[in-house]
Amino acid sequence: MKKTTIALALLLPVAFIAGQYFSGTAQQAPSLAADVSFSGGAAASNNAKKSVIDHGEVGQVHQVKPGQLIMDAVKAAQPGDVIQVFPGDYVETVYIDKDNIRLSGVIIDGKRPRLYGENRLNDAILYSGNNILIENFLITKYKGNGIMGQAGNNFEIRHNIIEDTGVYGIFPQLGINGLVEHNVISGIEDAAIYVGMSDHIHVANNEVFDSVAGIEIENSRHAVVENNFVHNNTGGILAFVTPGLPIKDTVDVIIRNNWISNNNTANFGAPGSMVAGIPAGTGILIMAADEVIIEDNIIIGNKTAGIIITDHQNAPNTTLDPESDPTPDKVMILNNLMYNNGYDTIAEAKVLMATELKQGQPDIIRVGNSNNSCINNPQQYITVGVSKWPACSFTNTDSVLNYLLDEPAAPRTVAAEEKGKYVYLGVCTGCHAYTGRLIGPPVQVIQSLYMDEPQALADYILNPLKKRDDYPAMPKQDYLDAETRLAVAEYMLNVGN
Amino acid sequence: MRAIFSLMTLVLIALPPVAVVLSGNALATTDMPAQAATCLACHSAATSAASGAPQLAGQQATYLQKQLQQFKNGQRGAAVSDVKGQQMAAMAATLSADDINSLARYFSKQQAEVITSSADAALLDQGRRQYIGSCGACHGAKAEGNMAFNAPALSMLSADYITLQLQHFKTGLRGKDKADKPGRQMALFSRNLSEQDMQAVAAYIGAGMP
């Protein structure tokens, strides 16, 4: 041991000098060679790197260095091109409205490119194209979103670090077939990872903490959330049906092998917003979502409860949507390690427990209705509201590797006359539900305020003015052109629930 | 109610000089327009429940001014079915433009007295969701109103008055005139509300937004 230390000590100055010498040469970006697997294993692994994009031939490589704008490279890029961003600060909003772009940070000596919003800019990266890959960035101090997808299919968002960026950290909205992997996200006012109105999604191996909601699967179908470290949020992992959104259900979600601990952070969501209703100390929250499987998670130290299952009627800050089923049906709780949850629970939970003549610290709380739900080995948990649930007919989800599509989804193409609709679905509904308060005021209120004046609304979204003390400021939508702004305003003023 | 009274007593004991100023303000005499006493016969905190007239104290001057003008020129309170509105229209007819301005300014500077009615807990819960989900976006988190939208304060209004006005907006008795943009905005929104929604949100505001 000692000899090694000495040898290392001798080597260090050499390495330092060598480093000095080589740093004079140009910084090298990594090659774009294909992955090669270790050949020693006998059986195929579940760990195979997933990809949802067929990148095809690598097109041109655009290199962006400090002092330059990433956006200039995006403008110059053609579908198939790679944009490599070198370490340094970039103060801008990147908007990718073309298909097949790889936006790749280059990490050198541990330094990655930093997108820096100066607490002034709203969004770091927005994309509306299909087949978009975004990796290796450090994103911080934006007011709105870190990375937001706006109706783009087949996306991969990985290896990003996102700190203190406003409302949503990573937010794919209305996307089919997407991966959110190996990201570290913290300090978000709503959800660190928010999968909104999307299908076939895989959220894995992320660390999310110090946010109001860790990972939120909302009005989305076929999602696996696995192997994430979810700690010190207000609520850890959420499967929600949010009333008043154009997609009306959340179905088929697997939450497995996550580490969900100490999600006891005081709720700092905007008062009155839906997430502001989450009680601090919630490990997993299922609201009105159907067919949610909860398996093999480690759920510890969440002071209100390990798992809460609720319908819309019993959830705070929600309004009912006649088009949405408010009941969480077919919730399936398999084996999980639950320990030391519910040690400082809410009064409502205590009342519920009293009705079952129970005391103690609840691991699982179910309020309101739930049909055809099941639970394995319930005796191991302290529960309320699930004593009549039968055992599930299975014990694991091993047969489901993921819910990603075998072939990439067809790129979403938007006809000119549908532009307003897709911007509404892909952008507006991220914060505006038809009824009720999501982040901004409901669409019904906006329709009443603007009535037959779409141009006034289009002008407002270009340059919003804060008018409500108790709502966050609306971010500028200036990356949309004038025609699109008017189209979406017209669509919004006429849309129904 | 008793709690409020005992609190007031406490304030009087603890802070006599301030209390004197406050009570002087509440009864403000020097700049009180001559007609204000007539208004208060129905619109005071003590009489509003019996008369069905809204409290005016603390309401935005621009809103009061506009409503008085509308009562006077027949945009509000002209319909046969709107009995209370007709009473108000008759009163407004006697006011000059100057009267209207000074009354509006005067009442906007007074402090409303909080009168709360009780209601069923489930109704209040529904009303609270409704209020936070929609109404608060323009009328403010505490129903204090928001001048940016010309949205009046609602906090001093009774459940009955709010319900009636929502019905008027929905049925077209209010918010019909082309030039009355805030009224038209409210009328459009009120069409999203069922009778039950109106009852709930009115009960919630009338109960002091518990």
Side-chain angles (χ1 to χ4, degrees):
Chain A
M1 191 45 125
K2 218 167 221 172
K3 203 178 275 176
T4 323
T5 316
I6 293 165
L8 267 176
L10 285 173
L11 273 173
L12 269 175
V14 180
F16 179 71
I17 292 159
Q20 292 280 44
Y21 175 75
F22 284 115
S23 65
T25 63
Q27 290 182 326
Q28 290 292 308
S31 72
L32 298 165
D35 286 337
V36 182
S37 204
F38 173 57
S39 59
S45 156
N46 282 353
N47 198 36
K49 192 163 184 181
K50 298 163 195 71
S51 179
V52 296
I53 302 175
D54 179 4
H55 288 295
E57 289 273 297
V58 175
Q60 207 185 328
V61 176
H62 307 257
Q63 296 197 331
V64 184
K65 303 206 164 154
Q68 299 174 316
L69 287 176
I70 302 168
M71 200 57 218
D72 285 343
V74 172
K75 283 178 190 157
Q78 297 295 317
D81 286 2
V82 177
I83 298 169
Q84 290 182 327
V85 183
F86 280 71
D89 275 3
Y90 300 86
V91 181
E92 58 177 312
T93 293
V94 179
Y95 177 52
I96 308 171
D97 61 348
K98 41 188 90 172
D99 289 350
N100 250 318
I101 298 291
R102 244 160 112 169
L103 184 60
S104 182
V106 176
I107 306 174
I108 295 174
D109 295 337
K111 288 207 172 60
R112 48 182 71 219
R114 182 171 81 145
L115 276 159
Y116 184 53
E118 294 186 330
N119 290 317
R120 174 176 60 80
L121 298 176
N122 290 304
D123 306 301
I125 301 173
L126 305 171
Y127 67 87
S128 61
N130 301 283
N131 307 327
I132 301 294
L133 182 152
I134 298 166
E135 63 183 1
N136 301 340
F137 285 90
L138 170 61
I139 297 175
T140 187
K141 304 288 179 197
Y142 284 81
K143 295 194 301 185
N145 300 291
I147 300 170
M148 179 182 181
Q150 304 176 338
N153 291 343
N154 311 313
F155 54 88
E156 297 179 11
I157 301 170
R158 58 163 69 99
H159 291 236
N160 300 289
I161 297 171
I162 302 180
E163 298 169 343
D164 190 14
T165 50
V167 180
Y168 301 124
I170 293 177
F171 175 19
Q173 168 89 322
L174 204 75
I176 299 172
N177 206 33
L179 263 177
V180 180
E181 275 194 323
H182 296 105
N183 301 284
V184 179
I185 309 169
S186 61
I188 309 293
E189 273 172 48
D190 196 301
I193 296 174
Y194 172 17
V195 175
M197 304 201 297
S198 294
D199 295 72
H200 302 285
I201 303 297
H202 200 73
V203 179
N205 305 309
N206 302 284
E207 183 187 13
V208 290
F209 60 103
D210 291 352
S211 300
V212 173
I215 298 171
E216 189 170 334
I217 306 296
E218 188 170 289
N219 303 38
S220 293
R221 286 77 61 97
H222 319 297
V224 173
V225 179
E226 65 178 10
N227 309 332
N228 300 284
F229 183 21
V230 182
H231 63 97
N232 296 93
N233 305 288
T234 303
I237 298 179
L238 282 44
F240 266 23
V241 175
T242 291
L245 292 180
I247 301 280
K248 299 298 179 186
D249 59 357
T250 290
V251 187
D252 200 11
V253 178
I254 297 177
I255 300 171
R256 65 185 177 193
N257 300 324
N258 300 284
W259 181 299
I260 305 168
S261 58
N262 304 317
N263 291 289
N264 300 323
T265 298
N267 197 321
F268 58 97
S273 66
M274 207 178 60
V275 289
I278 300 171
T282 305
I284 295 177
L285 182 55
I286 311 294
M287 180 174 80
D290 295 342
E291 296 178 42
V292 180
I293 301 175
I294 303 174
E295 177 197 4
D296 274 341
N297 300 286
I298 292 177
I299 307 175
I300 51 178
N302 303 289
K303 71 177 182 179
T304 293
I307 303 172
I308 299 178
I309 300 143
T310 180
D311 56 10
H312 280 152
Q313 289 89 337
N314 285 283
N317 295 8
T318 56
T319 43
L320 288 178
D321 179 345
E323 307 288 317
S324 271
D325 171 13
T327 310
D329 295 328
K330 294 190 191 165
V331 176
M332 297 165 260
I333 302 178
L334 310 183
N335 281 332
N336 291 276
L337 190 157
M338 302 186 75
Y339 181 67
N340 194 34
N341 298 297
Y343 58 82
D344 183 15
T345 197
I346 49 177
E348 290 90 328
K350 288 178 187 160
V351 171
L352 282 172
M353 293 188 80
T355 60
E356 292 189 16
L357 304 176
K358 282 180 177 170
Q359 282 185 326
Q361 306 175 352
D363 289 311
I364 302 174
I365 300 172
R366 190 268 299 171
V367 284
N369 291 324
S370 175
N371 304 308
N372 302 318
S373 294
C374 64
I375 182 167
N376 287 348
N377 300 310
Q379 76 288 344
Q380 61 184 318
Y381 315 119
I382 300 170
T383 66
V384 60
V386 303
S387 54
K388 293 199 176 109
W389 288 10
C392 301
S393 59
F394 59 96
T395 60
N396 67 62
T397 60
D398 292 358
S399 60
V400 179
L401 239 51
N402 57 65
Y403 282 137
L404 298 169
L405 297 176
D406 294 335
E407 296 291 324
R412 196 189 296 279
T413 48
V414 177
E417 65 272 20
E418 285 201 314
K419 198 128 198 197
K421 175 181 173 187
Y422 276 99
V423 172
Y424 175 75
L425 294 174
V427 184
C428 311
T429 59
C431 291
H432 300 277
Y434 187 71
T435 52
R437 177 171 175 181
L438 199 51
I439 299 290
V443 173
Q444 270 189 340
V445 166
I446 296 166
Q447 290 177 335
S448 299
L449 287 174
Y450 287 91
M451 296 186 284
D452 44 7
E453 296 175 16
Q455 189 59 54
L457 179 55
D459 293 345
Y460 182 83
I461 67 174
L462 171 64
N463 212 348
L465 205 79
K466 187 170 160 64
K467 295 178 176 173
R468 299 171 173 90
D469 291 342
D470 55 331
Y471 282 66
M474 154 125 189
K476 285 182 184 192
Q477 305 299 315
D478 51 357
Y479 55 91
L480 301 171
D481 60 39
E483 198 186 333
T484 307
R485 289 195 299 266
L486 184 59
V488 70
E490 278 167 352
Y491 186 84
M492 188 183 235
L493 292 185
N494 292 299
V495 74
N497 181 15
Chain B
M1 209 33 154
R2 191 180 287 172
I4 293 171
F5 278 129
S6 57
L7 265 177
M8 285 173 70
T9 319
L10 272 177
V11 170
L12 285 170
I13 295 166
L15 303 161
V18 178
V20 168
V21 173
L22 274 177
S23 62
N25 196 14
L27 299 170
T29 46
T30 48
D31 58 345
M32 183 166 157
Q35 298 90 340
T38 316
C39 307
L40 285 168
C42 292
H43 289 278
S44 76
T47 56
S48 70
S51 64
Q55 270 200 83
L56 306 174
Q59 188 56 275
Q60 296 152 5
T62 47
Y63 176 79
L64 292 176
Q65 192 180 23
K66 206 185 88 185
Q67 300 312 309
L68 284 170
Q69 285 161 352
Q70 289 189 342
F71 278 115
K72 191 175 155 80
N73 68 22
Q75 283 174 27
R76 201 180 158 185
V80 183
S81 59
D82 183 6
V83 179
K84 305 264 184 213
Q86 284 184 320
Q87 293 171 353
M88 188 60 221
M91 299 304 293
T94 68
L95 299 173
S96 70
D98 279 351
D99 295 338
I100 287 175
N101 291 346
S102 60
L103 284 169
R105 208 168 39 241
Y106 170 74
F107 281 112
S108 71
K109 287 182 182 147
Q110 307 307 306
Q111 216 160 19
E113 206 173 298
V114 182
I115 305 168
T116 57
S117 52
S118 59
D120 167 64
L123 193 66
L124 288 178
D125 183 58
Q126 191 201 337
R128 190 182 58 82
R129 288 164 194 255
Q130 188 81 46
Y131 189 86
I132 293 171
S134 304
C135 318
C138 296
H139 290 280
K142 299 188 174 74
E144 73 277 24
N146 187 340
M147 295 289 282
F149 303 105
N150 295 307
L154 307 173
S155 55
M156 74 290 267
L157 303 177
S158 69
D160 288 346
Y161 178 76
I162 293 169
T163 309
L164 185 67
Q165 297 313 309
L166 284 171
Q167 287 163 345
H168 284 181
F169 277 115
K170 192 172 179 178
T171 54
L173 285 184
R174 282 187 75 175
K176 217 172 181 181
D177 191 77
K178 192 81 184 144
D180 178 14
K181 188 173 171 188
R184 282 166 59 220
Q185 290 170 323
M186 189 61 223
L188 188 54
F189 190 84
S190 68
R191 282 175 225 146
N192 299 313
L193 300 173
S194 68
E195 184 62 30
Q196 160 81 6
D197 292 335
M198 295 182 188
Q199 301 279 358
V201 78
Y204 173 67
I205 300 168
M209 306 177 75

